[in-house]
């Protein structure tokens, strides 16, 4: 897996370099739609936008705590369509999980979650926007063996089904991020994350969100994955990774 990643990275580097030598003549607008893991404050949004060229207008409409249900209910979906983007990266899953802590944000995995994704795709296309589905980023739930517990397999699988059925480009960020975190190991992976208050006044790793370094590292990964998945957007990704 490590070798294939190196080969893919090298190939992408050649593609990005070629695009840089003949940059796009027209601008493009790309909007992020999703939860906190995409936001500027806690997610990879800042790093993603920083890795796009000046020809790309990057707009972040992600909202912390949002699920496929609340994003529409709270009027955020209408806002995300203005100014009208050419492309839209749609990523939900974390807050759709059925659990007591999510309350009215949760959705039924078998019915409501995929139905909501299909509706977003349908409405985006009707508005002349090209949707790109992004599987929810992996949480850093490391186990003693160095592997990460996958707590979102059902949502990842459901999104892949929707993408295949509706012929939507898919960025499998869940797998990309999980592979990367495991290759780093728990200690190094947590250095990309935020922290939060723990018991008895301690500070513990926030295993979901990112600090500035993490935003740029993961943002670069998403930008590169977008270039591979939607080749016509490769010219809008900087050939070299942006730095904080």
């Amino acid at each position: 897996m490590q070798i294939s990643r190196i080969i893919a990275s090298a190939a992408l580097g050649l593609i990005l370099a070629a695009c840089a030598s003949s940059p796009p003549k027209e601008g493009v607008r790309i909007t992020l739609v999703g939860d906190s893991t995409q936001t500027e404050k806690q997610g990879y949004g800042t790093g993603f936008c920083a890795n796009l060229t000046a020809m790309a207008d990057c707009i972040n409409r992600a909202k912390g705590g949002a699920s496929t249900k609340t994003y529409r209910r709270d009027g955020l979906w209408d806002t995300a369509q203005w100014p009208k983007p050419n492309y839209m990266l749609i990523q939900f899953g974390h807050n759709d999980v059925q659990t007591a802590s999510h309350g009215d944000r949760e959705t039924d995995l078998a019915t409501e979650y995929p139905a909501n994704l299909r509706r977003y795709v349908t409405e985006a296309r009707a508005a002349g926007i090209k949707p790109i589905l992004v599987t929810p980023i992996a949480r850093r739930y490391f186990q003693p063996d160095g592997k990460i517990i996958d707590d979102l397999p059902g949502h990842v699988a459901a999104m892949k089904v929707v993408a295949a059925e509706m012929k939507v480009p898919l960025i499998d960020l869940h797998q990309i991020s999980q592979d990367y975190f495991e290759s780093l190991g728990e200690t190094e992976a947590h250095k990309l994350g935020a922290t939060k208050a723990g018991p008895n006044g301690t500070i513990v790793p926030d295993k979901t969100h990112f600090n500035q370094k993490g935003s740029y590292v993961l943002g670069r990964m998403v930008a590169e994955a977008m270039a591979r998945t939607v080749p016509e957007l490769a010219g809008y990704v900087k050939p070299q990774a942006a730095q904080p």
Side-chain angles (χ1 to χ4, degrees):
M1 185 174 292
Q2 183 67 25
I3 294 176
S4 62
R5 186 184 298 117
I6 293 173
I7 294 174
S9 178
L12 178 62
L14 293 174
I15 294 172
L16 294 179
C19 290
S21 64
S22 55
K25 296 180 180 179
E26 296 183 358
V28 68
R29 178 174 292 125
I30 302 172
T31 295
L32 297 177
V33 169
D35 56 36
S36 60
T37 60
Q38 269 191 339
T39 60
E40 295 176 354
K41 184 178 180 180
Q42 295 181 295
Y44 62 76
T46 297
F48 172 78
C49 292
N51 273 283
L52 303 184
T53 70
M55 293 295 289
D57 181 17
C58 186
I59 299 178
N60 196 331
R61 299 297 191 191
K63 177 67 174 179
S67 70
T68 57
K69 177 168 62 177
T70 63
Y71 197 84
R72 179 184 297 278
R73 183 194 67 193
D74 296 343
L76 300 170
W77 175 241
D78 292 335
T79 301
Q81 297 177 67
W82 186 259
K84 179 183 172 181
N86 303 100
Y87 292 85
M88 181 179 282
L89 272 63
I90 302 173
Q91 178 195 302
F92 290 103
H94 284 184
N95 300 305
D96 283 83
V97 174
Q98 292 176 291
T99 174
S101 64
H102 286 163
D104 65 352
R105 293 180 293 170
E106 66 181 31
T107 58
D108 181 77
L109 176 57
T111 57
E112 192 176 8
Y113 177 70
N116 289 346
L117 291 176
R118 290 189 181 93
R119 187 177 175 188
Y120 284 133
V121 169
T122 299
E123 292 181 2
R125 285 173 168 170
I129 302 166
K130 297 179 181 180
I132 302 170
L133 291 176
V134 184
T135 57
I137 200 163
R139 290 188 172 96
R140 299 176 297 284
Y141 288 164
F142 280 91
Q143 299 307 293
D145 64 357
K147 298 298 183 181
I148 290 175
I149 285 183
D150 187 352
D151 66 325
L152 292 165
H155 292 79
V156 172
M159 183 177 285
K160 287 181 177 180
V161 169
V162 171
E165 290 179 351
M166 302 188 75
K167 295 179 171 58
V168 185
L170 176 82
I171 296 173
D172 192 0
L173 181 58
H174 189 78
Q175 191 65 57
I176 292 170
S177 58
Q178 182 166 319
D179 288 346
Y180 179 67
F181 296 146
E182 289 182 347
S183 72
L184 288 179
E186 183 172 6
T187 299
E188 293 302 312
H190 283 328
K191 290 181 181 179
L192 301 176
T195 57
K196 61 183 181 180
N200 303 317
T202 59
I203 300 297
V204 298
D206 179 332
K207 300 178 181 180
T208 300
H209 304 105
F210 301 100
N211 55 27
Q212 185 182 48
K213 179 180 178 181
S215 176
Y216 273 73
V217 171
L218 274 298
R220 179 66 184 180
M221 286 185 179
V222 177
E224 290 182 348
M226 180 184 71
R228 291 192 300 268
T229 305
V230 186
E232 61 264 33
L233 291 177
Y236 298 98
V237 177
K238 292 179 179 178
Q240 302 297 323
Q243 300 300 319

